[in-house]
Amino acid sequence: MHAQLKDKQLLAFDLDGTLIDSVPDLAVAVQKTLAGEGLAPPQQTHVRDWVGNGAPVLIERALSWALGKSPNATLNARAYDAFLSHYSQAPDHLTRLYPGALEVLEAVRAAGLRQVLITNKPERFIMPILQHFAMLEYFDLYLGGDSLTQKKPHPLPLLHAAKTYGVSPADCAMVGDSRHDVGAGKAAGFTTFALPGGYNHGEPIALTAPDVLLDSLFDLIAETPCATRTAR
């Protein structure tokens, strides 16, 4: 295991952009939603930069892009409901696991660390996706963006997970791909691991100054990952 995981008891993972590349399915749902409103559908590259703050913000960003201004509340609510309907029909058809996801989850479990999933995705979609990719068994708890009164980058979901299992935040770590993951981890007192290549609104994840900057998920389970850097 990575040296920074020594003596840790709980490891929290983000989902989208960390364990799975879900943008292809999210983009299809967004495109169908905007087309239903008579608006130009965005490209997948646009959606990749909009993901991270939860589905309501994703739809608001998509509408703002298409309209050239902020949408009114009625349109925003209608489009959000449509998005949920479209996405629920195919949340895992084009989504793919990132290399190493299952191997890392298995190795972390074998090492005796409790694993939890903390994502800003609506909770209703988490179990179907975890089941589809045979990941459900690895997590003792999963929290979505609507599971509690706050979501990442607020530390509440992370602190809730630590409290649920009676673990000090100092004995926990957060693995994610965006500034929301790193921000939540820092605010909660977790050690933060960040992965490049995910969804960080087009910005280098190194700018968030995580405790550890990884090159891949495999670095989490390597004793001396040569490509891993401790962020300054």
Side-chain angles (χ1 to χ4, degrees), residues 21-220:
D21 181 10
S22 56
V23 160
D25 281 318
L26 290 168
V28 169
V30 171
Q31 289 162 354
K32 289 181 177 179
T33 298
L34 266 63
E37 294 292 341
L39 298 171
Q43 297 297 311
Q44 189 178 120
T45 53
H46 292 115
V47 177
R48 190 169 295 274
D49 285 344
W50 297 336
V51 170
N53 293 95
V57 177
L58 168 61
I59 291 305
E60 184 176 1
R61 286 171 174 159
L63 289 171
S64 296
W65 171 85
L67 294 168
K69 61 181 181 180
S70 296
N72 62 51
T74 300
L75 173 59
N76 203 55
R78 185 173 66 242
Y80 178 62
D81 287 342
F83 167 80
L84 293 178
S85 177
H86 290 308
Y87 189 55
S88 66
Q89 295 171 28
D92 50 38
H93 288 193
L94 302 175
T95 294
R96 296 292 180 266
L97 281 174
Y98 280 119
L102 291 178
E103 294 91 335
V104 167
L105 292 175
E106 180 62 34
V108 172
R109 180 171 66 176
L113 277 74
R114 190 179 295 277
Q115 298 180 100
V116 300
L117 187 76
I118 301 178
T119 172
N120 282 346
K121 182 186 290 294
E123 184 178 311
R124 62 189 282 192
F125 299 118
I126 300 174
M127 181 179 286
I129 289 174
L130 293 183
Q131 289 177 325
H132 178 80
F133 290 107
M135 292 193 291
L136 185 60
E137 66 179 284
Y138 293 106
F139 295 106
D140 297 292
L141 172 73
Y142 60 79
L143 297 172
D146 52 357
S147 298
L148 303 172
T149 57
Q150 299 285 349
K151 61 179 181 288
K152 298 176 300 183
H154 198 282
L156 177 62
L158 282 68
L159 294 173
H160 175 83
K163 183 178 180 179
T164 296
Y165 296 106
V167 180
S168 167
D171 295 324
C172 302
M174 176 76 213
V175 181
D177 66 296
S178 78
R179 61 184 186 232
H180 313 299
D181 302 312
V182 176
K186 289 182 177 181
F190 283 35
T191 298
T192 55
F193 290 80
L195 288 156
Y199 315 148
N200 192 40
H201 311 291
E203 300 173 357
I205 191 63
L207 296 179
T208 65
D211 295 307
V212 181
L213 183 62
L214 303 170
D215 276 343
S216 78
L217 283 167
F218 285 113
D219 286 344
L220 281 172

